[in-house]
Amino acid sequence: MNTRPSNSHPLQTETDIHTVTTISQALQGARHELQACSPSPAVDAGILLCHVLACTSAHLIAWPEKELNAEQAMQFEQLVAQRKQGTPVAYLTGTREFWSLDFKVTPDVLIPRAETETLVEFIIETFSEQPSLNVVDLGTGSGAIACALARERPGWNITATDVSEQALVIAQHNATLNQVNIAEFVHGSWFEPIRDRQFDIIVSNPPYVAVNDPHLESGDLRFEPTSALTSGEQGMDDIRRLTQQAGACLKSGGWLILEHGFDQQQLVREAFGKSGFIDIIQRNDIAGLPRMSAAHKA
Ligand SMILES: C[S@@+](CC[C@H](N)C(=O)[O-])C[C@H]1O[C@@H](n2cnc3c(N)ncnc32)[C@H](O)[C@@H]1O
């Protein structure tokens, strides 16, 4: 990985001291560096190098002998070093794909996850015949759910909320980036900023990790905002708040659709039932884990 000999002469120019690194060598070196600290060293190395070279993964495969210039080699080396310290790849590149759309991500927002596409899929399938619906995405973060729905159903009126003003700035940026129309971005805690309104669908991927969950000490979670992750002793505080209060902001027959932890399926079912929701539907994510619950108001 090191492109500069430590005993180089101080008057040597950047060109003189640059040891030639090819795409193939850079990838090999990075894979080796990341082996002990990343679950996906080869994938990470490829994404980071594509970011530095502003190219596709096909380019890396097609041109393994192509040389990096000194600046590219140094930038790549720095990114690999940060990844080695645990920084998520998405925060290093500043971007993550969700629902085949590109999202800007910063440490102010949760990195959108593939499992959250389960909610988008369910909504598109279930309400495909509805030309106009009022939908709110509570705790929109990067805007992933709201933007995906807006892309699929441009005729729907979609509102996105978050308690984090920084997250709303990112979500707005992502709506523009993906050229989708989100009717409104609203700042505030859960139902407080929308309390006089009624929706056909309330969707949310709220914080649902238990405060003492050991997973918080590993992987990407260490770097993501705690306010986007944790929710009380069982991770259920926000989910309970949402099931208790959603009814007031739903039209008759309106749906509440929630993401939750793989081990919270039964607790979420009980929370829905206690608040009078009916016809509870639960779905697994792409990894086969129970991840989504939906039910409607009578
Ligand atoms: C798990 S993240 C989900 C982000 C995004 N919806 C996604 O699926 O990638 C939870 C989001 O809820 C927001 N949030 C936390 N507490 C909130 C509250 N009281 N009211 C509104 N949003 C809240 C966080 O700022 C964060 O953006």
Side-chain angles (χ1 to χ4, degrees):
M1 285 304 300
N2 196 358
T3 56
R4 191 173 302 191
S6 57
N7 60 349
S8 58
H9 191 281
L11 294 181
Q12 278 178 310
T13 65
E14 192 69 39
T15 320
D16 291 332
I17 62 171
H18 175 54
T19 308
V20 168
T21 309
T22 64
I23 283 179
S24 155
Q25 287 166 338
L27 288 175
Q28 198 181 357
R31 276 198 299 269
H32 178 74
E33 292 274 324
L34 297 176
Q35 219 152 24
C37 50
S38 164
S40 50
V43 174
D44 294 2
I47 294 173
L48 293 176
L49 193 53
C50 285
H51 175 67
V52 169
L53 302 181
C55 72
T56 62
S57 53
H59 179 94
L60 302 185
I61 296 164
W63 305 101
E65 300 307 323
K66 196 154 187 196
E67 291 167 14
L68 278 61
N69 66 33
E71 197 185 325
Q72 290 166 338
M74 191 182 300
Q75 197 191 344
F76 184 58
E77 195 176 319
Q78 284 167 356
L79 289 174
V80 171
Q82 284 174 276
R83 180 66 189 129
K84 219 173 154 184
Q85 297 303 313
T87 307
V89 172
Y91 288 157
L92 293 174
T93 61
T95 177
R96 175 53 55 93
E97 190 182 299
F98 179 85
W99 201 256
S100 301
L101 301 172
D102 281 329
F103 286 84
K104 172 179 174 173
V105 291
T106 72
D108 285 322
V109 294
L110 187 98
I111 300 163
R113 307 287 206 270
E115 53 261 35
T116 303
E117 294 188 351
T118 312
L119 281 73
V120 178
E121 254 165 34
F122 173 79
I123 294 172
I124 298 304
E125 273 172 37
T126 312
F127 304 98
S128 59
E129 303 301 317
Q130 310 281 346
S132 63
L133 285 178
N134 272 321
V135 181
V136 61
D137 173 20
L138 294 181
T140 196
S142 64
I145 298 173
C147 290
L149 292 176
R151 166 53 64 92
E152 295 297 327
R153 292 291 176 270
W156 291 0
N157 187 292
I158 299 173
T159 300
T161 82
D162 209 289
V163 76
S164 157
E165 285 186 86
Q166 296 94 320
L168 284 177
V169 171
I170 305 289
Q172 266 170 301
H173 174 94
N174 284 326
T176 307
L177 181 71
N178 289 296
Q179 299 178 311
V180 295
N181 181 35
I182 305 295
E184 250 185 300
F185 291 90
V186 190
H187 176 239
S189 181
W190 301 135
F191 298 99
E192 175 260 320
I194 54 161
R195 64 173 160 255
D196 299 327
R197 298 170 54 182
Q198 295 212 308
F199 295 87
D200 298 292
I201 297 174
I202 295 173
V203 57
S204 184
N205 171 18
Y208 57 71
V209 181
V211 282
N212 55 4
D213 189 321
H215 291 103
L216 292 166
E217 303 305 322
S218 63
D220 289 0
L221 297 188
R222 288 169 296 169
F223 295 82
E224 293 180 286
T226 309
S227 56
L229 294 171
T230 61
S231 190
E233 296 271 300
Q234 289 181 300
M236 284 292 296
D237 287 8
D238 286 300
I239 288 178
R240 292 203 174 103
R241 207 163 284 138
L242 291 172
T243 52
Q244 283 160 11
Q245 298 175 9
C249 290
L250 280 173
K251 294 178 187 171
S252 171
W255 285 75
L256 174 62
I257 298 157
L258 298 178
E259 180 169 324
H260 51 74
F262 69 91
D263 52 356
Q264 292 169 331
Q265 191 179 25
Q266 187 53 31
L267 292 173
V268 177
R269 177 175 278 278
E270 286 164 16
F272 268 120
K274 271 189 195 154
S275 298
F277 283 92
I278 57 174
D279 297 336
I280 301 169
I281 296 171
Q282 298 188 300
R283 284 261 174 109
N284 292 351
D285 62 21
I286 46 164
L289 299 169
R291 186 64 66 188
M292 185 213 84
S293 294
H296 67 88
K297 197 172 148 172

